[in-house]
């Protein structure tokens, strides 16, 4: 019997024992959907001095190849690349670089609505920090969600404030939760009808969704810290989570610490084991949009095992199978 036939995880149609982004997109739009990264020249309060200078110690700030290109040009370039790889049913313009709710409101609004009108755009996805959510931004997001479904992605990385100081995140977990709840209130209002219809797959119809990013292997963190972060994130009931392994990139401040042997990175086996524990703690219907970061950057110093992304994902599948476990099996125990 194939693994998929004995998979106890209810939202899967394969051997995957967690809710992958591809599966979510298939349920939502009927096929493969690709994200197209866009850069609209936003900066970050942790870089320009309003919250801190220099950014998070792993952040690679640099010039973007998108500079000088319009949203439409960036989107077309992205779509052409994706079309060579997959037969997609649609695209998600993704405001990815830096903090994309931080800047002139007129510029943000114009950029979001332009993205919503792009050909074959199915949703708009906006990455930002939780301390960059003002009432004016919420108003723009609400209007945007009337035109197209919207996802907002927030970088938490860790709920441990001691680690947040080490990585120079420049906002506390309490600050994160405050910003998150502003978005959560908006989410509840926009999706009010959908929450109440009682269908098991109703979450795929939401017009406004929230995603939290976390990083495993930050300096000084033990397994318990990483499990606590995912458990704190799960209590906020995000629609999606992205789990990344810490990457050490050339030219970052964390590269100096790493090269001076001031902390140790997780090896692949430790990462797989911790990530499986985290998947078990999540709510069953939370989309696990990533189980590892993209280790393909040219300037990656370590860990080099993250370059084999498919192998990491396969090892997670094997480990969940070996444990006879799946997403949500330990939800609510922490
Ligand atoms: S919040 Fe994001 S963009 Fe800002 S410094 Fe940290 S990693 Fe870089």
């Amino acid at each position: 019997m194939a693994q998929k036939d004995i998979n106890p995880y209810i939202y899967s149609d394969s051997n995957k024992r967690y809710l992958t982004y591809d599966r979510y997109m298939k349920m939502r739009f009927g096929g493969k959907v690709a994200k197209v990264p866009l850069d609209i020249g936003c900066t970050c309060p942790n870089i320009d001095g309003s919250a801190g200078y220099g950014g998070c110690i792993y952040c690679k700030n640099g010039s973007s190849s998108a500079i000088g290109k319009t949203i439409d040009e960036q989107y077309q370039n992205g779509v052409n690349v994706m079309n060579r790889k997959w037969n997609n049913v649609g695209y998600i313009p993704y405001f990815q670089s830096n903090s994309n709710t931080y800047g002139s409101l007129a510029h943000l609004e114009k950029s979001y609505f332009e993205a919503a009108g792009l050909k074959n755009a199915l949703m708009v996805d906006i990455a930002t920090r939780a301390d960059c959510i003002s009432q004016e931004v919420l108003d723009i997001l609400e209007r945007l969600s009337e035109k197209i479904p919207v996802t907002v992605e927030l970088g938490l990385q860790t709920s441990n404030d001691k680690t947040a100081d080490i990585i120079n995140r420049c906002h506390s977990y309490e600050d994160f939760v405050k910003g998150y709840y502003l978005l959560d209130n908006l989410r509840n209002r926009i999706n009010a009808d959908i929450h109440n219809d009682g269908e098991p797959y109703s979450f795929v119809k939401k017009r406004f969704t929230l995603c939290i990013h976390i990083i495993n292997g930050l300096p000084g963190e033990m397994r318990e810290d990483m499990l606590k972060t995912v458990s704190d994130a799960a209590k906020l009931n995000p629609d999606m989570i992205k789990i990344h392994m810490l990457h050490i990139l050339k030219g970052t401040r964390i590269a100096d610490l790493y090269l001076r042997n001031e902390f140790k990175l997780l090896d692949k086996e430790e990462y797989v084991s911790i990530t499986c524990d985290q998947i078990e703690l999540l709510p069953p219907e939370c989309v696990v949009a990533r189980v590892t970061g993209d280790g393909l950057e040219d300037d990656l110093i370590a860990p080099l095992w993250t370059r084999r992304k498919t192998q990491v994902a396969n090892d997670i599948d094997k480990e969940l199978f070996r444990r006879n476990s799946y997403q949500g099996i330990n939800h609510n125990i922490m």
Side-chain angles (χ1 to χ4, degrees), residues 43-47 54-56 58-61 97-99 129 157 168-169 171:
T43 176
C44 171
N46 199 12
I47 295 173
C56 306
Y58 47 76
C59 181
K60 181 90 182 174
N61 306 303
S97 305
N98 293 326
S99 299
R129 279 166 61 101
Q157 325 312 2
N168 195 44
R169 193 182 63 197
H171 63 298

Side-chain angles (χ1 to χ4, degrees), residues 111-145:
S111 305
Y112 300 164
F113 277 82
E114 200 177 325
L118 290 165
K119 192 172 170 214
N120 295 330
L122 299 173
M123 297 179 87
V124 167
D125 201 317
I126 299 165
T128 190
R129 279 166 61 101
D131 59 352
C132 297
I133 305 297
S134 63
Q135 187 53 52
E136 291 82 1
V137 163
L138 292 167
D139 293 342
I140 297 172
L141 294 174
E142 182 159 14
R143 287 198 295 281
L144 183 66
S145 74

Side-chain angles (χ1 to χ4, degrees), residues 241-255:
I241 191 157
K242 286 186 176 173
I243 305 173
H244 304 263
M245 172 61 201
L246 175 66
H247 285 167
I248 308 296
L249 302 179
K250 283 179 200 157
T252 58
R253 283 183 290 160
I254 204 166

Side-chain angles (χ1 to χ4, degrees), residues 75-87:
Y75 182 72
Q76 278 318 319
N77 290 345
V79 166
N80 291 343
V81 172
M82 310 281 176
N83 279 346
R84 274 183 237 134
K85 292 201 241 173
W86 298 295
N87 258 342

Side-chain angles (χ1 to χ4, degrees), residues 223-231 274 277-278 281 334:
R223 178 185 288 257
E224 303 76 63
D225 299 299
M226 296 174 241
L227 298 191
K228 170 87 167 56
T229 290
V230 92
S231 159
I274 290 166
D277 288 354
Q278 291 174 321
L281 288 168
M334 273 182 89

